[in-house]
Amino acid sequence: MDVLLPILQVATVALVLAVLYRPLGDYMASIYESKKDLTIERGLYRLIGVDSSSEQTWQAYLRGVLWFSGIGVLLVFLLQRFQSVLPYSLGLPAVPEGLSFNTAASFVTNTNWQSYSPDVTLGYTVQMAGLAVQNFVSAAVGIAVAVALVRGFARTRTGTLGNFWVDLTRGTLRLLLPISVLAAIILMAGGVIQNLTGFTDVPTLSGATQTLPGGPVASQEAIKNLGTNGGGFFNANAAHPFENPSPWTSVLQIVLMLMIPFSLPRTFGRMVGDRRQGTAILAFMAFFYIASLTIVTLLERAGFGTAPELAGGAMEGKEVRFGIDGSTLFGTSSTLTSTGAVNSMHDSYTAVGGMMPMLNMMLGEVAPGGVGAGLYGVLILAIIAVFVAGLLVGRTPEYLGKKIGPRQITLASLYILVMPTLVLVGTALSFAIPGIRDDVLNTSIWNPGNHGLSEVLYAFTSAANNNGSAFAGLTANTPWLNTALGVVMLLGRFVPIVLVLALAGSLAAGDRVPATSGTLPTHRPLFVGLLVGVTVIVTALTFFPVLTLGPLAEGLL
């Protein structure tokens, strides 16, 4: 049974994703290609003054993204600051300024980094009107940007990429909302709580009193996973039995994390008119997912030391109801997407095993990545790959019939540099500036040495990739980390979006180049292998020096 259960879990996830790939991918393509508006959509467009038939340039599309997200940061910040006067605040005080900024930046950027215990910090109004709303719309923003880039490949000689407000509305109402409602109902049937009861005192068997928290958990749990957001209603996240009661609810949450990112390649293939291109992207994503899951599971099962050997593996920080395999399956899915939810504590993994979730994020979260963000990240890497191939054979690089010129490769290269720069600079400043270093070492890090470095490195890697998971031994609710991580989350989200939309605009304005005998076929295994190699070399090896100082050094001790 110990061997059968993990095999059954992985097989179930793979089977459900395979069944959903075609219909969900085609449905998403139809959402963004349709010329018809729903009645409720027309009402919303009239309310906000949007002409749904009018398309936008990449600059106008970007302005929509930035204005909408900026207003979101302000609203979530204000909700927290005025929490004490809001209904259903549960008597909780206003959230401090630094933490309010960090949380607002976190949820608007689809990161859901939490430097606090949610159930004793935020009331229901802030949770629902602030955080849950951003779980929907931040995910819809990511998908909209990916669709805009796909349109850039699909269109020729045009200056427009669609309409941001239309894409945002359709993604929310036609995709995220209906699936979330259905998922919430299933989760409630599985034991996830959904109420507004606040804190309830109950007697224990020993005669003592225990306080149990309530809350609208199932509704938030559904969208936090579907939108690859990840923020938990409780501090223990999906390790808490009120959020994730059993192995089958854990499998359901994994499916919710993966279903949109793994189906978007089908959407991409259909929108560019060549489904084989989508299949190639899917194969790339699946390769990294399978490799990462296999490696981290083997590392945790082979945990060294007396305690792991007696337990049959490294069980510290893992729930017995999920076991090692259920924990690594969830952790791999969470960190290869931008979800960041956890049903085990990554900080308690073995040294090299704990490096794997970090490495998943350092790859750029492209296997399959967050909703939308994973797809446009892979397409950026594909441009780099065809450029490298062009250098090898002495030809102008092409991808999907579009020439990759100096402007395109410059934008793609800048995109690749953003995340590593934020991670390494943020980590370096935390240890290089004397006053900040003392605060980090004396207040934030409870595990000094190599593991302490890993905790800080993990935090900035998570923030820059808009993931939100953490090595939980780090105390992040400090002035420096609240500010630095908040800024890194904002830059890690919106600087790449600026570059992606600029790239989409340049591609849409170009002509289509007919394929010749010298054109590199980008739908075949050769290109998938090239794309894998470029991803490892360009992205992962950037972090090798710092990894040798953290988890790799710790693993050798």
Side-chain angles (χ1 to χ4, degrees), residues 107-160:
F107 278 79
V108 171
T109 58
N110 199 246
T111 309
N112 288 30
W113 172 271
Q114 294 172 298
S115 300
Y116 55 92
S117 297
D119 48 314
V120 295
T121 304
L122 301 178
Y124 296 160
T125 300
V126 176
Q127 289 270 19
M128 293 187 291
L131 308 191
V133 168
Q134 289 303 319
N135 282 347
F136 279 97
V137 296
S138 66
V141 167
I143 300 173
V145 172
V147 168
L149 179 58
V150 174
R151 290 187 184 126
F153 283 110
R155 296 180 177 184
T156 57
R157 295 186 180 182
T158 181
T160 61

Side-chain angles (χ1 to χ4, degrees), residues 405-416:
R407 177 174 173 78
Q408 289 77 32
I409 198 62
T410 298
L411 291 169
S413 299
L414 289 173
Y415 178 100
I416 293 297

Side-chain angles (χ1 to χ4, degrees), residues 456-474:
V456 176
L457 177 63
Y458 193 110
F460 280 96
T461 302
S462 179
N465 284 282
N466 301 135
N467 183 271
S469 64
F471 270 8
L474 181 75

Side-chain angles (χ1 to χ4, degrees), residues 369-429:
V371 286
L375 179 61
Y376 63 67
V378 175
L379 295 179
I380 293 291
L381 288 168
I383 289 174
I384 299 292
V386 296
F387 175 73
V388 171
L391 291 177
L392 293 176
V393 298
R395 288 181 55 88
T396 301
E398 304 166 14
Y399 187 55
L400 302 178
K402 295 295 181 75
K403 282 191 175 183
I404 307 302
R407 177 174 173 78
Q408 289 77 32
I409 198 62
T410 298
L411 291 169
S413 299
L414 289 173
Y415 178 100
I416 293 297
L417 291 172
V418 171
M419 183 269 289
T421 300
L422 293 174
V423 172
L424 297 176
V425 169
T427 303
L429 290 177

Side-chain angles (χ1 to χ4, degrees), residues 88-212:
Y88 287 106
S89 66
L90 307 181
L92 296 171
V95 182
E97 293 93 336
L99 183 57
S100 292
F101 163 71
N102 182 277
T103 303
S106 173
F107 278 79
V108 171
T109 58
N110 199 246
T111 309
N112 288 30
W113 172 271
Q114 294 172 298
S115 300
Y116 55 92
S117 297
D119 48 314
V120 295
T121 304
L122 301 178
Y124 296 160
T125 300
V126 176
Q127 289 270 19
M128 293 187 291
L131 308 191
V133 168
Q134 289 303 319
N135 282 347
F136 279 97
V137 296
S138 66
V141 167
I143 300 173
V145 172
V147 168
L149 179 58
V150 174
R151 290 187 184 126
F153 283 110
R155 296 180 177 184
T156 57
R157 295 186 180 182
T158 181
T160 61
L161 296 173
N163 188 304
F164 167 70
W165 304 105
V166 172
D167 293 340
L168 173 71
T169 302
R170 290 182 176 184
T172 303
L173 297 182
R174 300 191 193 186
L175 178 64
L176 298 172
L177 188 58
I179 298 176
S180 294
V181 170
L182 177 60
I185 294 172
I186 298 174
L187 287 170
M188 283 190 288
V192 179
I193 66 171
Q194 181 75 14
N195 58 56
L196 297 173
T197 59
F199 301 101
T200 304
D201 292 331
V202 297
T204 66
L205 294 176
S206 63
T209 300
Q210 182 176 0
T211 301
L212 297 179

Side-chain angles (χ1 to χ4, degrees), residues 82 132 272 458-459 536:
F82 289 97
V272 299
Y458 193 110
V536 172

